[in-house]
Amino acid sequence: MKTVIHAFVISIIVHVVYLASTIGIGYWKTKLYKPDVENAWEKAAMLQNEVVFGHTGSPILYLVSFVGVATVVALVMHVYQMVRG
């Protein structure tokens, strides 16, 4: 039971680090973005009239990802404990 709890905690940590790094990289790219206004006028016919700010995934995908990472971590911990003795 201890291995399962540790595996779920490590899975939470992995998902939080992934989410934080994704948000951090997006923030950094946004801060460093410098639009080229002069050349944008040449492509004015191709500009979109709607803006999409992002997309969301299915909650089931996140659940499967969480359980999958926890399963892999538990398996690695179990094999490590068997090898260690």
Side-chain angles (χ1 to χ4, degrees):
M1 190 64 166
K2 185 177 177 182
T3 304
V4 173
I5 293 172
H6 284 179
F8 278 117
V9 169
I10 291 173
S11 181
I12 290 172
I13 291 170
V14 166
H15 282 83
V16 167
V17 167
Y18 173 75
L19 181 65
S21 63
T22 302
I23 291 172
I25 290 169
Y27 177 76
W28 186 24
K29 285 183 176 182
T30 302
K31 291 296 280 184
L32 295 178
Y33 178 70
K34 300 207 184 323
D36 186 15
V37 178
E38 292 178 6
N39 291 332
W41 289 105
E42 296 173 8
K43 301 176 186 174
M46 298 180 159
L47 294 178
Q48 296 178 351
N49 59 359
E50 295 180 5
V51 177
V52 178
F53 285 104
H55 66 284
T56 59
S58 171
I60 293 176
L61 179 64
Y62 294 121
L63 179 64
V64 169
S65 170
F66 178 74
V67 172
V69 170
T71 304
V72 169
V73 169
L75 182 64
V76 168
M77 289 174 63
H78 182 68
V79 169
Y80 177 73
Q81 288 173 357
M82 286 178 49
V83 169
R84 191 168 165 217

Coordinates of all heavy atoms in Angstrom, one line a residue:
M1 N 0.8 -1.2 0.0 CA 0.0 0.0 0.0 C 0.9 1.3 0.0 O 0.5 2.3 -0.6 CB -0.9 0.0 1.2 CG -2.0 1.0 1.2 SD -3.1 0.7 -0.2 CE -4.4 1.8 0.2
K2 N 2.0 1.2 0.7 CA 2.9 2.3 0.7 C 3.5 2.7 -0.6 O 3.6 3.8 -1.0 CB 4.1 2.0 1.7 CG 5.0 3.1 2.0 CD 6.1 2.7 3.0 CE 7.1 3.7 3.2 NZ 8.1 3.3 4.1
T3 N 3.7 1.6 -1.5 CA 4.2 1.9 -2.8 C 3.2 2.6 -3.7 O 3.5 3.5 -4.5 CB 4.6 0.5 -3.5 OG1 5.6 -0.1 -2.6 CG2 5.2 0.7 -4.8
V4 N 1.9 2.2 -3.5 CA 0.8 2.8 -4.3 C 0.7 4.3 -3.9 O 0.5 5.1 -4.8 CB -0.5 2.1 -4.0 CG1 -1.7 2.8 -4.7 CG2 -0.4 0.6 -4.5
I5 N 0.7 4.6 -2.6 CA 0.6 6.0 -2.2 C 1.8 6.8 -2.7 O 1.6 7.9 -3.2 CB 0.5 6.1 -0.7 CG1 -0.8 5.5 -0.2 CG2 0.6 7.5 -0.2 CD1 -0.9 5.3 1.3
H6 N 3.0 6.3 -2.6 CA 4.2 7.0 -3.2 C 4.1 7.2 -4.7 O 4.4 8.2 -5.2 CB 5.4 6.2 -2.8 CG 5.9 6.3 -1.4 ND1 7.0 5.7 -0.9 CD2 5.4 7.0 -0.4 CE1 7.1 6.0 0.4 NE2 6.2 6.8 0.7
A7 N 3.5 6.2 -5.4 CA 3.4 6.3 -6.8 C 2.4 7.4 -7.2 O 2.6 8.1 -8.1 CB 2.9 4.9 -7.4
F8 N 1.3 7.5 -6.5 CA 0.3 8.5 -6.7 C 0.9 9.9 -6.4 O 0.7 10.9 -7.1 CB -1.0 8.3 -6.0 CG -1.9 7.3 -6.7 CD1 -2.2 6.1 -6.1 CD2 -2.4 7.6 -7.9 CE1 -3.1 5.2 -6.7 CE2 -3.3 6.7 -8.6 CZ -3.6 5.5 -8.0
V9 N 1.7 10.0 -5.3 CA 2.3 11.3 -5.0 C 3.3 11.7 -6.1 O 3.3 12.9 -6.5 CB 3.0 11.2 -3.6 CG1 3.8 12.4 -3.3 CG2 1.9 11.1 -2.5
I10 N 4.1 10.8 -6.5 CA 5.1 11.1 -7.6 C 4.3 11.5 -8.9 O 4.7 12.4 -9.6 CB 6.0 9.9 -7.8 CG1 6.9 9.8 -6.6 CG2 6.8 10.1 -9.1 CD1 7.8 8.6 -6.6
S11 N 3.2 10.8 -9.2 CA 2.4 11.1 -10.4 C 1.9 12.5 -10.3 O 1.9 13.3 -11.2 CB 1.3 10.1 -10.5 OG 0.5 10.4 -11.7
I12 N 1.4 12.9 -9.1 CA 0.9 14.3 -8.9 C 2.0 15.3 -9.1 O 1.9 16.3 -9.8 CB 0.3 14.5 -7.5 CG1 -1.0 13.7 -7.4 CG2 0.1 15.9 -7.1 CD1 -1.6 13.6 -6.0
I13 N 3.2 15.0 -8.6 CA 4.4 15.9 -8.8 C 4.7 16.0 -10.2 O 5.0 17.1 -10.7 CB 5.6 15.4 -7.9 CG1 5.2 15.6 -6.4 CG2 6.8 16.1 -8.3 CD1 6.3 14.9 -5.5
V14 N 4.8 14.9 -11.0 CA 5.1 14.9 -12.4 C 4.1 15.8 -13.1 O 4.5 16.6 -14.0 CB 5.2 13.5 -13.0 CG1 5.2 13.5 -14.5 CG2 6.4 12.8 -12.4
H15 N 2.8 15.6 -12.8 CA 1.8 16.4 -13.6 C 1.8 17.9 -13.2 O 1.6 18.7 -14.1 CB 0.4 15.8 -13.3 CG 0.1 14.6 -14.1 ND1 0.5 13.3 -13.7 CD2 -0.5 14.4 -15.3 CE1 0.2 12.5 -14.6 NE2 -0.5 13.1 -15.6
V16 N 2.1 18.2 -12.0 CA 2.2 19.6 -11.6 C 3.4 20.3 -12.2 O 3.4 21.4 -12.7 CB 2.3 19.8 -10.0 CG1 2.7 21.1 -9.6 CG2 1.0 19.4 -9.4
V17 N 4.6 19.6 -12.3 CA 5.8 20.1 -12.9 C 5.5 20.3 -14.4 O 5.9 21.3 -15.0 CB 7.0 19.2 -12.7 CG1 8.1 19.5 -13.6 CG2 7.4 19.2 -11.3
Y18 N 4.8 19.3 -15.1 CA 4.5 19.5 -16.5 C 3.6 20.7 -16.7 O 3.8 21.5 -17.6 CB 3.8 18.2 -17.0 CG 3.3 18.3 -18.4 CD1 4.1 18.3 -19.5 CD2 1.9 18.5 -18.6 CE1 3.7 18.4 -20.8 CE2 1.4 18.6 -19.9 CZ 2.3 18.6 -21.0 OH 1.8 18.7 -22.2
L19 N 2.6 20.8 -15.9 CA 1.6 21.9 -16.1 C 2.3 23.3 -15.8 O 2.2 24.2 -16.6 CB 0.5 21.8 -15.1 CG -0.6 22.9 -15.2 CD1 -1.3 22.8 -16.5 CD2 -1.6 22.7 -14.1
A20 N 3.2 23.3 -14.8 CA 3.9 24.6 -14.5 C 4.9 24.9 -15.6 O 5.0 26.1 -15.9 CB 4.6 24.5 -13.1
S21 N 5.6 23.9 -16.1 CA 6.5 24.2 -17.2 C 5.8 24.7 -18.5 O 6.3 25.6 -19.2 CB 7.4 23.0 -17.4 OG 6.7 21.9 -17.9
T22 N 4.7 24.1 -18.8 CA 3.9 24.5 -19.9 C 3.4 25.9 -19.8 O 3.6 26.7 -20.8 CB 2.7 23.6 -20.1 OG1 3.1 22.2 -20.3 CG2 1.9 24.0 -21.4
I23 N 2.9 26.3 -18.6 CA 2.5 27.7 -18.4 C 3.7 28.6 -18.4 O 3.6 29.7 -19.0 CB 1.7 27.8 -17.1 CG1 0.4 27.0 -17.2 CG2 1.5 29.2 -16.7 CD1 -0.4 26.9 -15.9
G24 N 4.8 28.2 -17.8 CA 6.0 29.0 -17.8 C 6.6 29.3 -19.2 O 6.9 30.4 -19.5
I25 N 6.6 28.3 -20.0 CA 7.1 28.4 -21.4 C 6.2 29.3 -22.2 O 6.7 30.2 -22.9 CB 7.3 27.1 -22.0 CG1 8.5 26.3 -21.4 CG2 7.5 27.2 -23.5 CD1 8.6 24.9 -21.8
G26 N 4.9 29.2 -22.0 CA 4.0 30.0 -22.7 C 4.1 31.5 -22.3 O 4.0 32.4 -23.1
Y27 N 4.3 31.7 -21.0 CA 4.4 33.1 -20.5 C 5.7 33.7 -21.0 O 5.7 34.8 -21.5 CB 4.5 33.0 -19.0 CG 4.7 34.4 -18.3 CD1 3.7 35.3 -18.3 CD2 6.0 34.7 -17.8 CE1 4.0 36.6 -17.7 CE2 6.2 35.9 -17.3 CZ 5.2 36.9 -17.2 OH 5.5 38.1 -16.7
W28 N 6.8 32.9 -21.0 CA 8.1 33.4 -21.5 C 8.0 33.7 -23.0 O 8.5 34.8 -23.5 CB 9.2 32.3 -21.3 CG 10.6 32.8 -21.6 CD1 11.0 34.1 -21.7 CD2 11.7 32.0 -22.0 NE1 12.3 34.1 -22.0 CE2 12.8 32.8 -22.2 CE3 11.8 30.6 -22.1 CZ2 14.0 32.3 -22.5 CZ3 13.1 30.1 -22.4 CH2 14.1 30.9 -22.6
K29 N 7.4 32.9 -23.8 CA 7.2 33.2 -25.2 C 6.4 34.4 -25.5 O 6.6 35.2 -26.4 CB 6.6 32.0 -26.0 CG 7.5 30.8 -26.2 CD 6.8 29.7 -27.0 CE 7.8 28.6 -27.3 NZ 7.1 27.5 -28.1
T30 N 5.4 34.6 -24.6 CA 4.5 35.8 -24.8 C 5.3 37.0 -24.4 O 5.1 38.1 -25.1 CB 3.3 35.6 -23.8 OG1 2.6 34.5 -24.2 CG2 2.4 36.8 -24.0
K31 N 6.1 37.0 -23.4 CA 6.9 38.2 -23.0 C 7.9 38.5 -24.1 O 8.2 39.7 -24.3 CB 7.6 37.9 -21.7 CG 6.6 37.9 -20.5 CD 5.9 39.2 -20.2 CE 6.8 40.1 -19.5 NZ 6.2 41.4 -19.2
L32 N 8.5 37.5 -24.7 CA 9.5 37.8 -25.7 C 9.0 38.1 -27.1 O 9.8 38.4 -28.0 CB 10.5 36.6 -25.8 CG 11.3 36.3 -24.5 CD1 12.2 35.1 -24.7 CD2 12.2 37.5 -24.1
Y33 N 7.7 37.9 -27.3 CA 7.1 38.1 -28.7 C 7.2 39.5 -29.1 O 6.8 40.4 -28.4 CB 5.7 37.6 -28.7 CG 5.0 37.7 -30.0 CD1 5.4 37.0 -31.1 CD2 4.0 38.7 -30.2 CE1 4.8 37.2 -32.4 CE2 3.4 38.9 -31.4 CZ 3.8 38.1 -32.5 OH 3.2 38.3 -33.7
K34 N 7.7 39.8 -30.3 CA 7.7 41.1 -30.9 C 7.0 41.0 -32.2 O 7.6 40.5 -33.2 CB 9.1 41.6 -31.0 CG 9.9 41.7 -29.7 CD 10.9 42.7 -29.7 CE 11.8 42.8 -28.4 NZ 11.2 42.6 -27.2
P35 N 5.8 41.6 -32.4 CA 5.1 41.5 -33.6 C 5.8 42.3 -34.7 O 6.3 43.4 -34.5 CB 3.7 42.0 -33.3 CG 3.9 42.9 -32.1 CD 5.0 42.3 -31.4
D36 N 5.7 41.9 -35.9 CA 6.2 42.6 -37.1 C 5.0 43.3 -37.8 O 4.4 42.7 -38.7 CB 6.9 41.6 -38.0 CG 7.6 42.3 -39.2 OD1 7.8 43.5 -39.1 OD2 7.9 41.6 -40.1
V37 N 4.7 44.5 -37.3 CA 3.5 45.2 -37.8 C 3.7 45.6 -39.2 O 2.7 45.6 -40.0 CB 3.2 46.4 -36.9 CG1 2.0 47.2 -37.4 CG2 3.0 45.9 -35.5
E38 N 4.9 46.0 -39.6 CA 5.1 46.5 -41.0 C 4.8 45.5 -42.1 O 4.1 45.8 -43.1 CB 6.5 47.1 -41.1 CG 6.8 48.3 -40.3 CD 8.2 48.8 -40.5 OE1 8.9 48.2 -41.3 OE2 8.6 49.7 -39.7
N39 N 5.3 44.3 -41.9 CA 5.0 43.2 -42.8 C 3.7 42.5 -42.7 O 3.3 41.8 -43.6 CB 6.2 42.2 -42.7 CG 7.5 42.7 -43.2 OD1 7.5 43.6 -44.0 ND2 8.6 42.2 -42.6
A40 N 3.0 42.8 -41.6 CA 1.7 42.2 -41.4 C 0.6 42.7 -42.4 O -0.3 42.1 -42.8 CB 1.2 42.3 -40.0
W41 N 0.8 44.0 -42.9 CA -0.1 44.6 -43.8 C -0.1 43.9 -45.1 O -1.1 43.9 -45.8 CB 0.2 46.1 -44.0 CG -0.1 46.8 -42.7 CD1 0.7 47.3 -41.8 CD2 -1.4 47.2 -42.3 NE1 0.1 48.0 -40.8 CE2 -1.3 47.9 -41.1 CE3 -2.7 46.9 -42.7 CZ2 -2.3 48.4 -40.3 CZ3 -3.8 47.4 -42.0 CH2 -3.6 48.1 -40.8
E42 N 1.0 43.3 -45.5 CA 1.1 42.6 -46.8 C 0.2 41.3 -46.8 O -0.3 40.9 -47.8 CB 2.5 42.2 -47.1 CG 3.4 43.4 -47.3 CD 4.9 43.0 -47.4 OE1 5.1 41.7 -47.5 OE2 5.7 43.8 -47.4
K43 N -0.1 40.7 -45.6 CA -0.8 39.5 -45.5 C -2.2 39.8 -44.9 O -2.8 38.9 -44.3 CB -0.1 38.5 -44.6 CG 1.3 38.1 -45.2 CD 2.0 37.2 -44.2 CE 3.4 37.0 -44.6 NZ 4.2 36.2 -43.7
A44 N -2.7 41.0 -45.0 CA -4.0 41.4 -44.4 C -5.2 40.5 -44.9 O -6.1 40.3 -44.1 CB -4.2 42.8 -44.6
A45 N -5.1 40.0 -46.1 CA -6.2 39.3 -46.6 C -6.4 37.9 -45.9 O -7.4 37.3 -45.9 CB -6.1 39.1 -48.1
M46 N -5.3 37.4 -45.4 CA -5.2 36.1 -44.8 C -5.5 36.1 -43.2 O -5.5 35.1 -42.6 CB -3.9 35.4 -45.0 CG -3.6 35.2 -46.4 SD -2.0 34.4 -46.6 CE -2.1 33.6 -48.1
L47 N -5.7 37.3 -42.7 CA -5.9 37.3 -41.2 C -7.2 36.7 -40.8 O -8.2 36.9 -41.5 CB -5.8 38.8 -40.7 CG -4.4 39.5 -40.9 CD1 -4.5 40.9 -40.4 CD2 -3.4 38.7 -40.1
Q48 N -7.3 36.1 -39.7 CA -8.5 35.5 -39.2 C -9.3 36.6 -38.5 O -8.8 37.6 -38.0 CB -8.2 34.4 -38.2 CG -7.5 33.3 -38.8 CD -7.1 32.2 -37.8 OE1 -7.3 32.4 -36.6 NE2 -6.7 31.1 -38.3
N49 N -10.6 36.4 -38.4 CA -11.5 37.3 -37.7 C -12.0 36.7 -36.4 O -12.8 37.3 -35.7 CB -12.7 37.7 -38.6 CG -13.5 36.5 -39.0 OD1 -13.2 35.3 -38.7 ND2 -14.6 36.7 -39.8
E50 N -11.5 35.5 -36.0 CA -11.8 34.9 -34.7 C -10.5 34.6 -34.0 O -9.5 34.2 -34.7 CB -12.7 33.7 -34.9 CG -14.0 34.0 -35.5 CD -14.8 32.7 -35.7 OE1 -14.3 31.6 -35.2 OE2 -15.9 32.8 -36.2
V51 N -10.6 34.6 -32.7 CA -9.4 34.3 -31.9 C -9.7 33.1 -31.0 O -10.7 33.0 -30.4 CB -9.0 35.5 -31.0 CG1 -7.8 35.2 -30.2 CG2 -8.7 36.7 -31.9
V52 N -8.8 32.2 -31.0 CA -8.9 31.0 -30.1 C -7.8 31.1 -29.1 O -6.6 31.2 -29.4 CB -8.8 29.7 -30.9 CG1 -8.8 28.5 -29.9 CG2 -9.8 29.6 -31.9
F53 N -8.1 31.1 -27.8 CA -7.1 31.3 -26.7 C -6.5 30.0 -26.2 O -5.7 30.0 -25.4 CB -7.7 32.0 -25.6 CG -7.9 33.5 -25.8 CD1 -9.1 34.0 -26.1 CD2 -6.8 34.3 -25.8 CE1 -9.2 35.4 -26.4 CE2 -6.9 35.7 -26.1 CZ -8.1 36.2 -26.4
G54 N -7.0 28.9 -26.7 CA -6.5 27.6 -26.3 C -7.5 26.5 -26.5 O -8.5 26.7 -27.1
H55 N -7.1 25.3 -26.0 CA -8.0 24.2 -26.1 C -8.0 23.4 -24.9 O -7.0 23.5 -24.1 CB -7.7 23.3 -27.3 CG -6.3 22.7 -27.2 ND1 -5.2 23.3 -27.3 CD2 -6.0 21.4 -26.9 CE1 -4.2 22.4 -27.1 NE2 -4.7 21.3 -26.8
T56 N -9.0 22.6 -24.6 CA -9.0 21.8 -23.4 C -9.1 20.3 -23.9 O -9.7 20.0 -24.9 CB -10.2 22.1 -22.5 OG1 -11.4 21.9 -23.3 CG2 -10.2 23.5 -22.0
G57 N -8.5 19.5 -23.1 CA -8.6 18.1 -23.3 C -9.7 17.5 -22.5 O -10.3 18.1 -21.6
S58 N -10.0 16.2 -22.8 CA -11.0 15.5 -22.1 C -10.5 15.2 -20.7 O -9.3 14.8 -20.5 CB -11.3 14.2 -22.8 OG -12.1 13.4 -22.0
P59 N -11.3 15.3 -19.7 CA -10.9 15.0 -18.3 C -10.5 13.5 -18.2 O -9.7 13.2 -17.3 CB -12.1 15.3 -17.4 CG -12.9 16.2 -18.2 CD -12.6 15.9 -19.7
I60 N -11.1 12.7 -19.0 CA -10.8 11.3 -18.9 C -9.3 11.1 -19.4 O -8.6 10.2 -18.8 CB -11.7 10.4 -19.8 CG1 -13.1 10.5 -19.2 CG2 -11.3 9.0 -20.0 CD1 -14.2 9.8 -20.0
L61 N -8.8 11.9 -20.3 CA -7.4 11.8 -20.8 C -6.5 12.1 -19.6 O -5.5 11.4 -19.4 CB -7.2 12.7 -21.9 CG -5.8 12.7 -22.5 CD1 -5.4 11.4 -23.1 CD2 -5.6 13.8 -23.5
Y62 N -6.8 13.1 -18.8 CA -6.0 13.5 -17.7 C -6.0 12.4 -16.6 O -5.0 12.1 -16.0 CB -6.4 14.8 -17.1 CG -6.2 16.0 -18.0 CD1 -7.3 16.8 -18.4 CD2 -5.0 16.3 -18.5 CE1 -7.1 17.8 -19.2 CE2 -4.8 17.3 -19.3 CZ -5.8 18.1 -19.7 OH -5.6 19.2 -20.5
L63 N -7.2 11.7 -16.4 CA -7.3 10.7 -15.5 C -6.4 9.5 -15.9 O -5.7 8.9 -15.1 CB -8.7 10.3 -15.3 CG -9.0 9.1 -14.3 CD1 -8.6 9.5 -12.9 CD2 -10.4 8.7 -14.4
V64 N -6.5 9.1 -17.2 CA -5.7 8.0 -17.7 C -4.3 8.3 -17.6 O -3.5 7.5 -17.3 CB -6.2 7.7 -19.2 CG1 -5.2 6.8 -19.9 CG2 -7.6 7.2 -19.2
S65 N -3.9 9.6 -17.9 CA -2.5 10.0 -17.8 C -2.0 9.8 -16.4 O -0.9 9.3 -16.1 CB -2.3 11.4 -18.3 OG -1.0 11.9 -18.0
F66 N -2.8 10.3 -15.4 CA -2.4 10.3 -14.0 C -2.3 8.8 -13.5 O -1.3 8.5 -12.9 CB -3.5 11.0 -13.2 CG -3.3 10.9 -11.7 CD1 -2.3 11.7 -11.1 CD2 -4.0 10.1 -10.9 CE1 -2.0 11.6 -9.8 CE2 -3.8 10.0 -9.5 CZ -2.8 10.8 -9.0
V67 N -3.2 8.0 -13.9 CA -3.2 6.6 -13.4 C -2.0 5.8 -14.2 O -1.3 5.0 -13.6 CB -4.5 5.9 -13.7 CG1 -4.4 4.4 -13.4 CG2 -5.6 6.5 -12.8
G68 N -1.8 6.2 -15.4 CA -0.7 5.5 -16.2 C 0.6 5.9 -15.6 O 1.5 5.0 -15.4
V69 N 0.9 7.1 -15.3 CA 2.1 7.5 -14.7 C 2.3 6.9 -13.3 O 3.4 6.4 -13.0 CB 2.3 9.0 -14.6 CG1 3.5 9.5 -13.7 CG2 2.4 9.7 -16.0
A70 N 1.2 6.8 -12.5 CA 1.3 6.2 -11.2 C 1.6 4.7 -11.4 O 2.4 4.1 -10.6 CB 0.0 6.4 -10.5
T71 N 1.0 4.0 -12.4 CA 1.3 2.6 -12.6 C 2.7 2.4 -13.0 O 3.4 1.5 -12.5 CB 0.4 2.1 -13.7 OG1 -1.0 2.3 -13.3 CG2 0.6 0.6 -13.9
V72 N 3.3 3.2 -13.9 CA 4.7 3.0 -14.3 C 5.6 3.3 -13.1 O 6.6 2.5 -12.9 CB 5.0 4.0 -15.4 CG1 6.5 4.1 -15.7 CG2 4.2 3.6 -16.7
V73 N 5.3 4.3 -12.3 CA 6.1 4.6 -11.1 C 6.1 3.5 -10.1 O 7.1 3.0 -9.6 CB 5.7 5.9 -10.5 CG1 6.4 6.1 -9.1 CG2 6.1 7.1 -11.4
A74 N 4.9 2.9 -9.9 CA 4.8 1.8 -9.0 C 5.5 0.6 -9.5 O 6.2 -0.1 -8.7 CB 3.3 1.5 -8.8
L75 N 5.5 0.3 -10.8 CA 6.2 -0.8 -11.3 C 7.7 -0.6 -11.2 O 8.4 -1.5 -10.8 CB 5.8 -1.0 -12.8 CG 6.5 -2.1 -13.5 CD1 6.0 -3.5 -12.9 CD2 6.1 -2.1 -15.0
V76 N 8.2 0.6 -11.4 CA 9.6 0.9 -11.3 C 10.0 0.7 -9.8 O 11.1 0.2 -9.5 CB 9.9 2.3 -11.9 CG1 11.3 2.7 -11.5 CG2 9.8 2.3 -13.4
M77 N 9.2 1.2 -8.9 CA 9.5 1.1 -7.5 C 9.5 -0.3 -7.0 O 10.4 -0.8 -6.3 CB 8.5 1.9 -6.7 CG 8.7 3.4 -6.8 SD 7.4 4.4 -6.0 CE 7.7 3.9 -4.3
H78 N 8.6 -1.1 -7.5 CA 8.6 -2.5 -7.2 C 9.8 -3.3 -7.7 O 10.4 -4.1 -7.0 CB 7.3 -3.2 -7.7 CG 7.1 -4.6 -7.4 ND1 6.9 -5.0 -6.1 CD2 7.1 -5.7 -8.1 CE1 6.8 -6.3 -6.1 NE2 6.9 -6.8 -7.3
V79 N 10.1 -3.0 -8.9 CA 11.3 -3.7 -9.5 C 12.6 -3.3 -8.8 O 13.5 -4.1 -8.4 CB 11.4 -3.4 -11.0 CG1 12.8 -3.8 -11.6 CG2 10.3 -4.1 -11.8
Y80 N 12.7 -2.0 -8.4 CA 13.8 -1.5 -7.7 C 13.9 -2.2 -6.3 O 15.0 -2.6 -5.9 CB 13.7 0.0 -7.5 CG 14.9 0.6 -6.7 CD1 16.1 0.7 -7.2 CD2 14.6 1.0 -5.4 CE1 17.2 1.2 -6.4 CE2 15.6 1.6 -4.6 CZ 16.9 1.7 -5.1 OH 17.9 2.2 -4.4
Q81 N 12.8 -2.3 -5.6 CA 12.8 -3.0 -4.3 C 13.2 -4.5 -4.4 O 13.8 -5.0 -3.6 CB 11.4 -2.9 -3.7 CG 11.1 -1.5 -3.2 CD 9.7 -1.3 -2.7 OE1 8.9 -2.2 -2.7 NE2 9.4 -0.1 -2.2
M82 N 12.7 -5.1 -5.5 CA 13.1 -6.5 -5.7 C 14.6 -6.7 -6.0 O 15.3 -7.6 -5.5 CB 12.3 -7.1 -6.9 CG 10.9 -7.4 -6.6 SD 9.9 -8.0 -8.0 CE 11.0 -9.4 -8.6
V83 N 15.2 -5.8 -6.8 CA 16.6 -5.9 -7.1 C 17.4 -5.5 -5.9 O 18.5 -6.1 -5.6 CB 16.9 -4.9 -8.3 CG1 18.4 -4.7 -8.5 CG2 16.3 -5.4 -9.6
R84 N 17.0 -4.6 -5.1 CA 17.7 -4.1 -4.0 C 17.7 -5.2 -2.9 O 18.7 -5.3 -2.1 CB 17.1 -2.8 -3.4 CG 17.9 -2.1 -2.4 CD 17.3 -0.8 -2.1 NE 17.9 -0.3 -0.9 CZ 17.2 0.5 0.0 NH1 16.0 0.8 -0.3 NH2 17.8 0.9 1.0
G85 N 16.7 -6.0 -2.8 CA 16.7 -7.1 -1.9 C 15.6 -7.0 -1.0 O 15.2 -7.6 -0.2

